[in-house]
PDB file of all heavy atoms in Angstrom:
ATOM      1  N   SER A  14      64.813  68.775 -75.812  1.00 34.00           N
ATOM      2  CA  SER A  14      65.419  70.097 -75.930  1.00 34.00           C
ATOM      3  C   SER A  14      64.781  70.850 -77.091  1.00 34.00           C
ATOM      4  O   SER A  14      64.150  70.252 -77.956  1.00 34.00           O
ATOM      5  CB  SER A  14      66.923  69.933 -76.206  1.00 34.00           C
ATOM      6  OG  SER A  14      67.113  69.336 -77.477  1.00 34.00           O
ATOM      7  N   LEU A  27      56.302  60.884 -87.177  1.00 96.00           N
ATOM      8  CA  LEU A  27      56.906  59.556 -87.319  1.00 96.00           C
ATOM      9  C   LEU A  27      55.947  58.503 -86.775  1.00 96.00           C
ATOM     10  O   LEU A  27      55.350  58.681 -85.715  1.00 96.00           O
ATOM     11  CB  LEU A  27      58.238  59.493 -86.573  1.00 96.00           C
ATOM     12  CG  LEU A  27      59.348  60.392 -87.129  1.00 96.00           C
ATOM     13  CD1 LEU A  27      60.590  60.308 -86.252  1.00 96.00           C
ATOM     14  CD2 LEU A  27      59.690  60.011 -88.566  1.00 96.00           C
ATOM     15  N   PRO A  37      45.946  42.600 -77.774  1.00 97.00           N
ATOM     16  CA  PRO A  37      45.526  43.945 -77.346  1.00 97.00           C
ATOM     17  C   PRO A  37      46.477  44.596 -76.357  1.00 97.00           C
ATOM     18  O   PRO A  37      46.562  45.823 -76.288  1.00 97.00           O
ATOM     19  CB  PRO A  37      44.156  43.702 -76.702  1.00 97.00           C
ATOM     20  CG  PRO A  37      43.675  42.421 -77.294  1.00 97.00           C
ATOM     21  CD  PRO A  37      44.908  41.598 -77.521  1.00 97.00           C
ATOM     22  N   CYS A  55      51.343  22.003 -76.238  1.00 98.00           N
ATOM     23  CA  CYS A  55      52.679  21.393 -76.280  1.00 98.00           C
ATOM     24  C   CYS A  55      52.690  20.082 -75.505  1.00 98.00           C
ATOM     25  O   CYS A  55      53.231  19.064 -75.974  1.00 98.00           O
ATOM     26  CB  CYS A  55      53.717  22.357 -75.717  1.00 98.00           C
ATOM     27  SG  CYS A  55      54.093  23.767 -76.777  1.00 98.00           S
ATOM     28  N   PHE A  58      50.699  17.436 -77.357  1.00 98.00           N
ATOM     29  CA  PHE A  58      51.406  16.950 -78.541  1.00 98.00           C
ATOM     30  C   PHE A  58      52.412  15.863 -78.152  1.00 98.00           C
ATOM     31  O   PHE A  58      52.507  14.823 -78.807  1.00 98.00           O
ATOM     32  CB  PHE A  58      52.121  18.118 -79.233  1.00 98.00           C
ATOM     33  CG  PHE A  58      52.816  17.749 -80.514  1.00 98.00           C
ATOM     34  CD1 PHE A  58      52.120  17.717 -81.699  1.00 98.00           C
ATOM     35  CD2 PHE A  58      54.170  17.439 -80.521  1.00 98.00           C
ATOM     36  CE1 PHE A  58      52.756  17.382 -82.898  1.00 98.00           C
ATOM     37  CE2 PHE A  58      54.814  17.096 -81.706  1.00 98.00           C
ATOM     38  CZ  PHE A  58      54.108  17.069 -82.894  1.00 98.00           C
ATOM     39  N   LYS A  65      56.002   7.339 -81.062  1.00 96.00           N
ATOM     40  CA  LYS A  65      55.044   6.687 -81.962  1.00 96.00           C
ATOM     41  C   LYS A  65      55.304   6.959 -83.438  1.00 96.00           C
ATOM     42  O   LYS A  65      54.582   6.438 -84.297  1.00 96.00           O
ATOM     43  CB  LYS A  65      53.620   7.132 -81.602  1.00 96.00           C
ATOM     44  CG  LYS A  65      53.244   6.787 -80.156  1.00 96.00           C
ATOM     45  CD  LYS A  65      51.900   7.361 -79.766  1.00 96.00           C
ATOM     46  CE  LYS A  65      51.613   7.085 -78.285  1.00 96.00           C
ATOM     47  NZ  LYS A  65      50.343   7.702 -77.833  1.00 96.00           N
ATOM     48  N   ALA A  67      57.887   6.107 -85.414  1.00 94.00           N
ATOM     49  CA  ALA A  67      58.385   4.939 -86.149  1.00 94.00           C
ATOM     50  C   ALA A  67      57.247   3.993 -86.497  1.00 94.00           C
ATOM     51  O   ALA A  67      57.210   3.411 -87.597  1.00 94.00           O
ATOM     52  CB  ALA A  67      59.453   4.218 -85.329  1.00 94.00           C
ATOM     53  N   LEU A  92      51.680  29.510 -83.016  1.00 98.00           N
ATOM     54  CA  LEU A  92      51.169  30.086 -81.767  1.00 98.00           C
ATOM     55  C   LEU A  92      52.317  30.542 -80.874  1.00 98.00           C
ATOM     56  O   LEU A  92      52.300  31.662 -80.340  1.00 98.00           O
ATOM     57  CB  LEU A  92      50.319  29.045 -81.039  1.00 98.00           C
ATOM     58  CG  LEU A  92      49.824  29.424 -79.630  1.00 98.00           C
ATOM     59  CD1 LEU A  92      48.951  30.686 -79.685  1.00 98.00           C
ATOM     60  CD2 LEU A  92      49.065  28.258 -79.005  1.00 98.00           C
ATOM     61  N   ASP A 197      71.559  44.050 -74.135  1.00 93.00           N
ATOM     62  CA  ASP A 197      70.549  44.961 -74.672  1.00 93.00           C
ATOM     63  C   ASP A 197      70.187  46.060 -73.674  1.00 93.00           C
ATOM     64  O   ASP A 197      70.103  47.245 -74.033  1.00 93.00           O
ATOM     65  CB  ASP A 197      69.277  44.182 -75.036  1.00 93.00           C
ATOM     66  CG  ASP A 197      69.444  43.332 -76.285  1.00 93.00           C
ATOM     67  OD1 ASP A 197      70.387  43.588 -77.048  1.00 93.00           O
ATOM     68  OD2 ASP A 197      68.630  42.412 -76.490  1.00 93.00           O
ATOM     69  N   ALA A 237      83.595  57.120 -77.220  1.00 98.00           N
ATOM     70  CA  ALA A 237      84.815  56.484 -76.714  1.00 98.00           C
ATOM     71  C   ALA A 237      84.867  56.514 -75.191  1.00 98.00           C
ATOM     72  O   ALA A 237      85.256  55.526 -74.552  1.00 98.00           O
ATOM     73  CB  ALA A 237      86.038  57.180 -77.306  1.00 98.00           C
ATOM     74  N   ASN A 252      83.403  37.312 -73.587  1.00 98.00           N
ATOM     75  CA  ASN A 252      84.090  36.085 -73.194  1.00 98.00           C
ATOM     76  C   ASN A 252      83.107  34.977 -72.829  1.00 98.00           C
ATOM     77  O   ASN A 252      83.293  33.814 -73.207  1.00 98.00           O
ATOM     78  CB  ASN A 252      85.011  36.368 -72.001  1.00 98.00           C
ATOM     79  CG  ASN A 252      86.388  36.844 -72.414  1.00 98.00           C
ATOM     80  OD1 ASN A 252      87.165  36.109 -72.996  1.00 98.00           O
ATOM     81  ND2 ASN A 252      86.689  38.107 -72.122  1.00 98.00           N
ATOM     82  N   GLU A 281      77.289  26.322 -97.871  1.00 92.00           N
ATOM     83  CA  GLU A 281      78.484  25.522 -97.683  1.00 92.00           C
ATOM     84  C   GLU A 281      79.646  26.381 -97.196  1.00 92.00           C
ATOM     85  O   GLU A 281      79.778  27.539 -97.601  1.00 92.00           O
ATOM     86  CB  GLU A 281      78.859  24.827 -99.001  1.00 92.00           C
ATOM     87  CG  GLU A 281      77.792  23.881 -99.541  1.00 92.00           C
ATOM     88  CD  GLU A 281      76.619  24.598-100.201  1.00 92.00           C
ATOM     89  OE1 GLU A 281      76.763  25.812-100.508  1.00 92.00           O
ATOM     90  OE2 GLU A 281      75.564  23.962-100.408  1.00 92.00           O
ATOM     91  N   TYR A 296      90.260  44.455-100.597  1.00 97.00           N
ATOM     92  CA  TYR A 296      90.422  45.590 -99.683  1.00 97.00           C
ATOM     93  C   TYR A 296      91.159  46.774-100.331  1.00 97.00           C
ATOM     94  O   TYR A 296      90.680  47.917-100.271  1.00 97.00           O
ATOM     95  CB  TYR A 296      91.186  45.166 -98.422  1.00 97.00           C
ATOM     96  CG  TYR A 296      90.402  44.405 -97.383  1.00 97.00           C
ATOM     97  CD1 TYR A 296      91.064  43.850 -96.274  1.00 97.00           C
ATOM     98  CD2 TYR A 296      89.027  44.217 -97.463  1.00 97.00           C
ATOM     99  CE1 TYR A 296      90.372  43.150 -95.292  1.00 97.00           C
ATOM    100  CE2 TYR A 296      88.330  43.515 -96.492  1.00 97.00           C
ATOM    101  CZ  TYR A 296      89.013  42.978 -95.403  1.00 97.00           C
ATOM    102  OH  TYR A 296      88.332  42.283 -94.440  1.00 97.00           O
ATOM    103  N   LEU A 299      89.088  48.583-103.031  1.00 97.00           N
ATOM    104  CA  LEU A 299      87.819  49.152-102.604  1.00 97.00           C
ATOM    105  C   LEU A 299      88.023  50.167-101.489  1.00 97.00           C
ATOM    106  O   LEU A 299      88.130  51.366-101.739  1.00 97.00           O
ATOM    107  CB  LEU A 299      86.863  48.032-102.178  1.00 97.00           C
ATOM    108  CG  LEU A 299      86.557  46.956-103.236  1.00 97.00           C
ATOM    109  CD1 LEU A 299      85.589  45.924-102.681  1.00 97.00           C
ATOM    110  CD2 LEU A 299      86.004  47.577-104.502  1.00 97.00           C
ATOM    111  N   LYS A 313      93.019  66.357 -96.581  1.00 94.00           N
ATOM    112  CA  LYS A 313      93.807  65.742 -95.514  1.00 94.00           C
ATOM    113  C   LYS A 313      94.655  64.606 -96.069  1.00 94.00           C
ATOM    114  O   LYS A 313      94.292  63.971 -97.062  1.00 94.00           O
ATOM    115  CB  LYS A 313      92.897  65.181 -94.420  1.00 94.00           C
ATOM    116  CG  LYS A 313      92.063  66.222 -93.683  1.00 94.00           C
ATOM    117  CD  LYS A 313      91.227  65.546 -92.591  1.00 94.00           C
ATOM    118  CE  LYS A 313      90.453  66.557 -91.768  1.00 94.00           C
ATOM    119  NZ  LYS A 313      89.682  65.901 -90.672  1.00 94.00           N
ATOM    120  N   PHE A 360      52.768  48.614 -94.928  1.00 98.00           N
ATOM    121  CA  PHE A 360      53.537  48.888 -93.708  1.00 98.00           C
ATOM    122  C   PHE A 360      53.269  50.305 -93.206  1.00 98.00           C
ATOM    123  O   PHE A 360      53.254  50.547 -91.995  1.00 98.00           O
ATOM    124  CB  PHE A 360      55.036  48.672 -93.970  1.00 98.00           C
ATOM    125  CG  PHE A 360      55.448  47.236 -94.021  1.00 98.00           C
ATOM    126  CD1 PHE A 360      55.217  46.460 -95.153  1.00 98.00           C
ATOM    127  CD2 PHE A 360      56.058  46.633 -92.926  1.00 98.00           C
ATOM    128  CE1 PHE A 360      55.580  45.135 -95.194  1.00 98.00           C
ATOM    129  CE2 PHE A 360      56.428  45.308 -92.962  1.00 98.00           C
ATOM    130  CZ  PHE A 360      56.190  44.552 -94.099  1.00 98.00           C
ATOM    131  N   SER A 364      50.108  50.740 -89.953  1.00 97.00           N
ATOM    132  CA  SER A 364      50.859  50.938 -88.687  1.00 97.00           C
ATOM    133  C   SER A 364      51.721  49.739 -88.331  1.00 97.00           C
ATOM    134  O   SER A 364      51.700  49.235 -87.217  1.00 97.00           O
ATOM    135  CB  SER A 364      49.885  51.252 -87.535  1.00 97.00           C
ATOM    136  OG  SER A 364      49.178  52.430 -87.789  1.00 97.00           O
ATOM    137  N   TRP A 365      52.511  49.302 -89.312  1.00 98.00           N
ATOM    138  CA  TRP A 365      53.444  48.191 -89.087  1.00 98.00           C
ATOM    139  C   TRP A 365      54.873  48.698 -88.872  1.00 98.00           C
ATOM    140  O   TRP A 365      55.803  47.901 -88.823  1.00 98.00           O
ATOM    141  CB  TRP A 365      53.437  47.237 -90.273  1.00 98.00           C
ATOM    142  CG  TRP A 365      52.121  46.546 -90.525  1.00 98.00           C
ATOM    143  CD1 TRP A 365      50.997  46.601 -89.758  1.00 98.00           C
ATOM    144  CD2 TRP A 365      51.807  45.697 -91.639  1.00 98.00           C
ATOM    145  NE1 TRP A 365      50.009  45.826 -90.312  1.00 98.00           N
ATOM    146  CE2 TRP A 365      50.468  45.265 -91.469  1.00 98.00           C
ATOM    147  CE3 TRP A 365      52.530  45.249 -92.750  1.00 98.00           C
ATOM    148  CZ2 TRP A 365      49.842  44.410 -92.385  1.00 98.00           C
ATOM    149  CZ3 TRP A 365      51.902  44.407 -93.657  1.00 98.00           C
ATOM    150  CH2 TRP A 365      50.575  43.991 -93.473  1.00 98.00           C
ATOM    151  N   PRO A 536      76.231  35.175 -83.520  1.00 95.00           N
ATOM    152  CA  PRO A 536      77.633  35.042 -83.924  1.00 95.00           C
ATOM    153  C   PRO A 536      77.771  34.645 -85.390  1.00 95.00           C
ATOM    154  O   PRO A 536      77.076  33.746 -85.865  1.00 95.00           O
ATOM    155  CB  PRO A 536      78.157  33.938 -82.995  1.00 95.00           C
ATOM    156  CG  PRO A 536      77.270  33.997 -81.796  1.00 95.00           C
ATOM    157  CD  PRO A 536      75.916  34.387 -82.316  1.00 95.00           C
ATOM    158  N   HIS A 578      67.181  25.761-101.866  1.00 89.00           N
ATOM    159  CA  HIS A 578      68.595  26.058-101.630  1.00 89.00           C
ATOM    160  C   HIS A 578      68.998  27.247-102.500  1.00 89.00           C
ATOM    161  O   HIS A 578      68.390  27.515-103.537  1.00 89.00           O
ATOM    162  CB  HIS A 578      69.434  24.825-101.990  1.00 89.00           C
ATOM    163  CG  HIS A 578      70.879  24.933-101.646  1.00 89.00           C
ATOM    164  ND1 HIS A 578      71.830  25.308-102.558  1.00 89.00           N
ATOM    165  CD2 HIS A 578      71.535  24.725-100.477  1.00 89.00           C
ATOM    166  CE1 HIS A 578      73.025  25.307-101.974  1.00 89.00           C
ATOM    167  NE2 HIS A 578      72.880  24.963-100.710  1.00 89.00           N
ATOM    168  N   TRP A 596      81.498  36.180-107.003  1.00 91.00           N
ATOM    169  CA  TRP A 596      81.763  37.229-106.028  1.00 91.00           C
ATOM    170  C   TRP A 596      82.478  38.400-106.677  1.00 91.00           C
ATOM    171  O   TRP A 596      82.258  39.558-106.319  1.00 91.00           O
ATOM    172  CB  TRP A 596      82.583  36.666-104.866  1.00 91.00           C
ATOM    173  CG  TRP A 596      81.895  35.522-104.205  1.00 91.00           C
ATOM    174  CD1 TRP A 596      82.296  34.214-104.161  1.00 91.00           C
ATOM    175  CD2 TRP A 596      80.644  35.572-103.499  1.00 91.00           C
ATOM    176  NE1 TRP A 596      81.377  33.457-103.485  1.00 91.00           N
ATOM    177  CE2 TRP A 596      80.365  34.251-103.065  1.00 91.00           C
ATOM    178  CE3 TRP A 596      79.742  36.590-103.201  1.00 91.00           C
ATOM    179  CZ2 TRP A 596      79.215  33.939-102.337  1.00 91.00           C
ATOM    180  CZ3 TRP A 596      78.590  36.283-102.494  1.00 91.00           C
ATOM    181  CH2 TRP A 596      78.344  34.975-102.068  1.00 91.00           C
TER     182      TRP A 596
END
Side-chain angles (χ1 to χ4, degrees):
S14 66
L27 294 176
C55 288
F58 183 85
K65 301 174 184 176
L92 174 60
D197 287 342
N252 273 293
E281 299 76 16
Y296 282 173
L299 302 181
K313 297 182 176 182
F360 284 78
S364 299
W365 297 354
H578 187 263
W596 302 115

